Amino acid sequence: MKNTILNGHLSALFCIIIWSTTYISSKVLLQTFLPVEILVIRFLIGLLVLMIICPKRLEFQGKKELYYIGAGFFGIFIYYQMDNIALLYTMASNLGVIMSIAPFFTAILTQIFYPEEKSFDKPFVIGFLFAITGIALISFNGAKLSINPKGDLLAVLGAFAWAVYSVLFKKINSFGHATILDTKRCNFYGFLFMIPLFFLEDGQMHAESFTDPVILGNFLYLSVLASAVCFVAWNYATRVVGVMTTSIYIYLGPIVTIAASYLILHEPITKLMLLGTVLTLIGLVLSEYSEYIIKYKKYIDN
């Protein structure tokens, strides 16, 4: 049991490490492709990879199929479409901060639909405030705050869509199927929602562009690792450690980004970034262990 829980935490951490660098790939591809083109090609390749890894097909689930459709719509189509379009109108730093409110939205929805979990407590809120302050310091690092209403609003909608996906997948986990089968089904529906938009925006596959190793490499990174592997790993994590615990790992995204920039690109880490990292980690601990903090406080009071 302990190994399973540890694997769940490691899976969530692995996903955050990969997802924290996908903005770079998306920025590169947006120079050649439309946002919807990136989505369609990315998830098409991702689906093919999942089908190769696991050819088994999940049977039609009747009314339960609505949960898969909803998860595909919000977590695959809406989230990634908002994410890609937002990058056209706002700074990546804005997007990084705004997307970090996803755990807050997840806590609210979990409290509404699963009130027995008591996810929205005082330590969690305090932890969120610490984390979002730290993430803001990391992301802007002393730069002038730039408000881009259109892009920032799209990013907020994306964060909310991810929270809806998280809560829906919590229900899907209760159906008892293999995680990879559930993931394939959700990704399939998300891909279907992309197709009409692809044709409405006169999308193209740009096959000739794939001779460029930079484009091919970025698409493989987004599709195989960030889409196929990470979605299975993330959904597995939500099953074994819970939707709230998994979502809180989102706070680590900006920290992973600056660590990678330091180690790979040799970019300097400022005092402001270090302060932001400390605040974010404090927020993560407060949010992650809020239940134990409450129990300890009650023990002290008694």
Side-chain angles (χ1 to χ4, degrees):
M1 181 64 180
K2 289 183 178 179
N3 287 337
T4 300
I5 293 175
L6 176 61
N7 289 337
H9 285 282
L10 291 176
S11 295
L13 181 59
F14 169 78
C15 293
I16 292 302
I17 291 173
I18 299 299
W19 284 340
S20 296
T21 57
T22 56
Y23 295 131
I24 300 172
S25 291
S26 295
K27 274 286 190 182
V28 171
L29 294 174
L30 281 169
Q31 296 175 14
T32 306
F33 297 83
L34 295 172
V36 71
E37 291 173 340
I38 296 174
L39 280 182
V40 168
I41 296 171
R42 171 182 178 175
F43 279 94
L44 175 60
I45 297 174
L47 270 175
L48 291 174
V49 170
L50 289 177
M51 289 177 182
I52 292 171
I53 295 174
C54 180
K56 183 179 178 182
R57 181 177 174 273
L58 185 66
E59 295 180 358
F60 186 74
Q61 298 296 300
K63 291 183 179 180
K64 293 179 180 179
E65 201 73 20
L66 292 174
Y67 288 98
Y68 292 97
I69 295 172
F73 178 74
F74 286 103
I76 308 300
F77 176 61
I78 293 296
Y79 170 74
Y80 281 100
Q81 185 67 0
M82 295 299 100
D83 203 28
N84 281 338
I85 297 176
L87 280 172
L88 296 174
Y89 299 101
T90 192
M91 298 165 55
S93 55
N94 289 44
L95 191 61
V97 173
I98 294 170
M99 281 310 306
S100 298
I101 67 176
F104 191 78
F105 286 143
T106 303
I108 294 174
L109 293 179
T110 301
Q111 187 66 55
I112 293 173
F113 295 101
Y114 301 96
E116 69 279 2
E117 292 204 3
K118 297 180 180 180
S119 59
F120 199 70
D121 48 40
K122 187 175 180 179
F124 173 84
V125 175
I126 296 173
F128 168 78
L129 293 175
F130 267 96
I132 204 68
T133 301
I135 290 167
L137 292 177
I138 292 169
S139 299
F140 296 109
N141 192 27
K144 184 179 179 181
L145 176 63
S146 176
I147 304 298
N148 305 280
K150 187 173 183 179
D152 293 345
L153 178 59
L154 290 172
V156 171
L157 292 176
F160 182 76
W162 185 257
V164 174
Y165 170 80
S166 299
V167 173
L168 286 173
F169 213 92
K170 177 178 173 62
K171 181 64 176 180
I172 291 171
N173 277 329
S174 69
F175 299 159
H177 306 303
T179 302
I180 192 169
L181 294 177
D182 289 334
T183 303
K184 276 201 306 181
R185 182 59 57 86
C186 292
N187 287 17
F188 171 72
Y189 280 121
F191 178 72
L192 287 183
F193 282 116
M194 298 173 194
I195 294 176
L197 186 60
F198 180 81
F199 288 108
L200 284 173
E201 296 191 7
D202 296 322
Q204 299 178 28
M205 300 303 287
H206 299 281
E208 70 283 354
S209 297
F210 286 86
T211 58
D212 184 341
V214 174
I215 288 179
L216 179 61
N218 278 291
F219 262 120
L220 289 177
Y221 186 77
L222 289 176
S223 58
V224 178
L225 271 180
S227 296
V229 175
C230 280
F231 265 92
V232 174
W234 186 263
N235 293 336
Y236 167 78
T238 62
R239 174 172 292 185
V240 298
V241 300
V243 63
M244 277 309 306
T245 296
T246 307
S247 69
I248 289 169
Y249 273 93
I250 293 174
Y251 293 153
L252 291 178
I255 297 177
V256 172
T257 300
I258 64 168
S261 298
Y262 175 75
L263 294 173
I264 300 172
L265 302 177
H266 306 292
E267 293 182 354
I269 296 179
T270 67
K271 292 181 180 180
L272 203 60
M273 293 165 73
L274 286 174
L275 175 60
T277 298
V278 171
L279 290 175
T280 301
L281 290 174
I282 291 173
L284 185 144
V285 171
L286 287 172
S287 298
E288 176 73 31
Y289 299 103
S290 60
E291 178 182 352
Y292 301 101
I293 293 172
I294 291 174
K295 287 182 180 180
Y296 179 74
K297 185 176 183 300
K298 287 182 179 179
Y299 174 78
I300 294 297
D301 291 341
N302 292 333

